[in-house]
């Protein structure tokens, strides 16, 4: 009884769903729509039994066996087809000698001498090994042949042929040529740009005083001066005005020179008491704007140790060595090593050094100051009266 009920329920569920799924597309239920959607054919397609497709043939093991196939016949057939399609062009004919390949002898590696350098081995001539000449690349005119050029002497540029020096002589030739070259070379330093503790030539008194004070020096002395011909001229004017007495006359001369702008700072001294250093600066007159033309430096650090004991000699030598080391670091090698002078020579600025002392001077500026003062004196004395 239960089985029947289950079958009835299953049929009730399945049957309506099948009908509903095919209801839209079934032409039996909707004949009108089927006629509208049907495409009419112009001519009926005749049915021919010979036009039916044959079933695919299943390949057997014999068909897959290629051992018994004649491949030569297949190649011949394909070659004949290609010959008919592509025209053959005649190839250039070569002689038998050219057709034979040339046999290149195997190059034997060159022998390398371990006692020689790389350039010597490359520059060595090719040696014969078992009758075959070893091919070594030529190095003439390349960088290999120019490696040893600095080792030659300066006379190598001459037209006369010279032989290559041996390995033992190359070092001697190089050393001697360098020494000779260093002697002949003339090196000149421009001493006008040198300074001593910041003080330079052609500085004014205000610039020198400010620079040395900033370096820790104190001005200990300052001397004012007047050119001699100006002094003598003012003395005559003061006496003519009725001034009597040495002190009054001197005061009158100074006041007149200061009023006319002829008094200047002739010399100034500075000291640094902690290190026992002294600097003296000399200046030109107002005719050349009162500029520094000579700066002298003196240090007692290298000379204040007296005595001949080992300790004193050792300390003195250390201070002397330190002095010259700093001189070399600041100014470089002197141009004149005998007199220890830097400069361009002639009447130009120079610097001369000694143990514990330095002198930086510009003689040209001093001569220019003398020349201008002499011209001013000639104008006052009327020396152009002579007409012989």
């Amino acid at each position: 009884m239960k089985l029947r009920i289950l079958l009835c329920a299953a049929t009730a569920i399945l049957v309506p769903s099948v009908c509903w799924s095919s209801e839209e597309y079934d032409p039996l239920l909707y004949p009108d729509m089927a006629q509208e959607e049907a495409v009419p054919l112009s001519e009926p397609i005749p049915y021919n039994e010979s036009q039916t497709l044959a079933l695919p043939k299943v390949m057997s093991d014999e068909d897959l066996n290629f051992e018994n196939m004649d491949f030569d016949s297949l190649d011949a057939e394909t070659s004949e087809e290609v010959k008919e399609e592509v025209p053959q062009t005649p190839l250039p004919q070569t002689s038998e000698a050219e057709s034979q390949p040339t046999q290149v002898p195997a190059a034997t590696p060159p022998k390398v001498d371990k006692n020689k350098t790389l350039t010597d081995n490359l520059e060595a001539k090719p040696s014969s090994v078992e009758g075959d000449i070893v091919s070594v690349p030529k190095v003439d005119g390349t960088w290999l042949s120019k490696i040893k050029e600095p080792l030659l002497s300066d006379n190598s540029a001459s037209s006369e042929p010279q032989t290559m020096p041996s390995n033992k002589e190359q070092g001697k030739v190089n050393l001697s040529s360098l020494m000779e070259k260093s002697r002949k070379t003339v090196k000149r330093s421009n001493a006008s740009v040198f300074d001593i503790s910041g003080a330079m030539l052609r500085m004014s008194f205000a610039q020198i005083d400010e620079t040395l004070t900033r370096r820790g020096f104190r001005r200990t002395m300052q001397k004012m001066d007047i050119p001699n011909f100006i002094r003598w001229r003012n003395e005559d004017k003061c006496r003519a005005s009725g001034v009597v007495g040495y002190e009054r006359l001197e005061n009158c001369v100074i006041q007149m020179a200061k009023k006319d702008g002829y008094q200047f700072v002739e010399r100034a001294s500075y000291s640094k008491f902690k290190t026992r250093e002294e600097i003296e600066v000399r200046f030109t007159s107002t005719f050349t704007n009162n500029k520094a033309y000579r700066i002298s430096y003196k240090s007692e650090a290298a000379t204040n140790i007296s005595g001949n004991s080992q300790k004193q000699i050792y300390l003195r030598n250390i201070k002397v060595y330190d002095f010259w080391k700093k001189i070399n670091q600041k100014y470089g090698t002197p141009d004149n090593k005998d007199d220890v002078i830097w400069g361009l020579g002639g009447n130009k600025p120079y610097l001369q050094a000694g143990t514990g002392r330095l002198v930086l001077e510009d003689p040209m500026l001093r001569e220019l100051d003398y020349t201008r003062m002499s011209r001013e004196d000639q104008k006052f004395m009327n020396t152009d009266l002579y007409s012989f």
Side-chain angles (χ1 to χ4, degrees):
M1 187 69 182
K2 293 180 180 180
L3 182 60
R4 290 180 182 178
I5 294 171
L6 292 171
L7 290 173
C8 291
T11 53
I13 294 171
L14 294 172
V15 171
S17 65
V18 171
C19 295
W20 179 81
S21 63
S22 62
E23 183 178 8
E24 185 178 358
Y25 302 99
D26 193 357
L28 296 176
L29 298 176
Y30 303 97
D32 298 334
M33 295 180 64
Q35 291 179 1
E36 291 178 1
E37 292 179 359
V39 179
L41 296 175
S42 60
E43 293 181 0
I45 299 173
Y47 175 75
N48 189 2
E49 295 180 356
S50 62
Q51 292 181 355
T52 57
L53 296 174
L55 295 173
K57 182 181 178 182
V58 181
M59 298 183 69
S60 61
D61 296 338
E62 295 181 357
D63 297 335
L64 297 175
N65 188 8
F66 299 100
E67 294 180 357
N68 299 327
M69 293 185 65
D70 189 4
F71 292 99
D72 297 336
S73 61
L74 293 175
D75 294 338
E77 292 176 1
T78 54
S79 62
E80 288 177 359
E81 293 177 359
V82 173
K83 287 180 182 178
E84 292 176 359
E85 294 177 0
V86 181
Q88 294 182 358
T89 55
L91 296 174
Q93 308 231 343
T94 58
S95 61
E96 295 180 359
E98 294 177 354
S99 62
Q100 293 180 358
T102 58
Q103 295 181 358
V104 179
T108 58
K111 292 184 178 181
V112 178
D113 191 358
K114 296 182 180 180
N115 297 326
K116 295 182 179 180
T117 60
L118 174 61
T119 55
D120 293 335
N121 285 317
L122 290 175
E123 289 181 352
K125 296 181 180 179
S127 59
S128 60
V129 179
E130 296 180 359
D132 297 334
I133 297 177
V134 180
S135 61
V136 178
K138 296 181 179 181
V139 295
D140 296 338
T142 61
W143 62 274
L144 293 171
S145 62
K146 296 180 180 180
I147 288 177
K148 295 184 179 180
E149 285 186 0
L151 298 177
L152 298 177
S153 59
D154 297 337
N155 299 327
S156 58
S158 60
S159 60
E160 298 180 359
Q162 294 182 354
T163 58
M164 190 77 176
S166 60
N167 295 333
K168 296 182 180 180
E169 295 179 355
Q170 285 174 358
K172 296 181 180 179
V173 172
N174 188 14
L175 181 59
S176 61
S177 62
L178 290 176
M179 291 177 64
E180 189 67 24
K181 186 177 180 181
S182 64
R183 290 174 183 172
K184 291 182 179 180
T185 53
V186 179
K187 174 182 168 292
R188 295 295 184 185
S189 303
N190 187 8
S192 61
V193 298
F194 289 173
D195 70 282
I196 299 176
S197 296
M200 300 178 66
L201 296 172
R202 296 177 181 264
M203 273 188 174
S204 63
F205 170 73
Q207 293 174 337
I208 292 287
D209 188 72
E210 180 184 359
T211 302
L212 294 180
T213 303
R214 191 170 58 251
R215 293 292 183 95
F217 288 87
R218 292 182 60 184
R219 186 171 73 241
T220 57
M221 187 268 293
Q222 176 181 345
K223 181 183 178 182
M224 308 297 293
D225 199 2
I226 302 170
N228 290 331
F229 69 96
I230 299 293
R231 180 185 294 276
W232 299 331
R233 186 189 309 173
N234 291 343
E235 286 179 357
D236 295 339
K237 291 180 180 179
C238 290
R239 287 192 184 98
S241 61
V243 177
V244 180
Y246 175 77
E247 292 181 358
R248 292 182 179 180
L249 187 63
E250 184 68 19
N251 191 17
C252 179
V253 169
I254 292 174
Q255 291 298 327
M256 291 182 67
K258 190 181 294 185
K259 181 180 177 181
D260 297 334
Y262 291 120
Q263 190 180 25
F264 63 94
V265 180
E266 190 268 336
R267 184 173 56 184
S269 297
Y270 298 85
S271 297
K272 201 175 197 179
F273 301 103
K274 291 183 180 180
T275 56
R276 296 184 179 181
E277 294 175 291
E278 294 181 1
I279 293 179
E280 183 185 69
V281 185
R282 293 180 179 269
F283 299 89
T284 59
S285 66
T286 54
F287 289 93
T288 50
N289 300 324
N290 197 206
K291 300 294 184 180
Y293 75 93
R294 180 185 174 91
I295 303 172
S296 303
Y297 170 85
K298 182 180 179 182
S299 175
E300 297 180 359
T303 58
N304 62 348
I305 300 176
S306 59
N308 295 324
S309 64
Q310 293 183 355
K311 178 182 177 180
Q312 292 170 337
I313 294 173
Y314 175 74
L315 294 175
R316 192 186 304 118
N317 291 338
I318 286 179
K319 291 187 177 181
V320 170
Y321 172 77
D322 186 61
F323 174 82
W324 287 109
K325 182 179 71 174
K326 291 183 178 179
I327 290 292
N328 190 25
Q329 289 175 354
K330 185 171 184 178
Y331 305 112
T333 306
D335 302 328
N336 187 352
K337 296 181 181 179
D338 297 333
D339 298 331
V340 196
I341 296 176
W342 294 260
L344 299 174
N347 204 21
K348 297 180 180 179
Y350 70 91
L351 172 68
Q352 188 172 11
T355 303
R357 60 182 181 85
L358 290 170
V359 176
L360 181 62
E361 188 175 2
D362 188 357
M364 184 169 56
L365 181 60
R366 182 58 174 165
E367 289 187 4
L368 178 63
D369 188 45
Y370 285 151
T371 302
R372 290 185 179 180
M373 285 192 293
S374 64
R375 289 178 180 175
E376 183 68 20
D377 193 16
Q378 288 176 1
K379 290 180 183 178
F380 176 74
M381 295 298 295
N382 294 325
T383 56
D384 295 335
L385 298 175
Y386 301 103
S387 58
F388 58 85

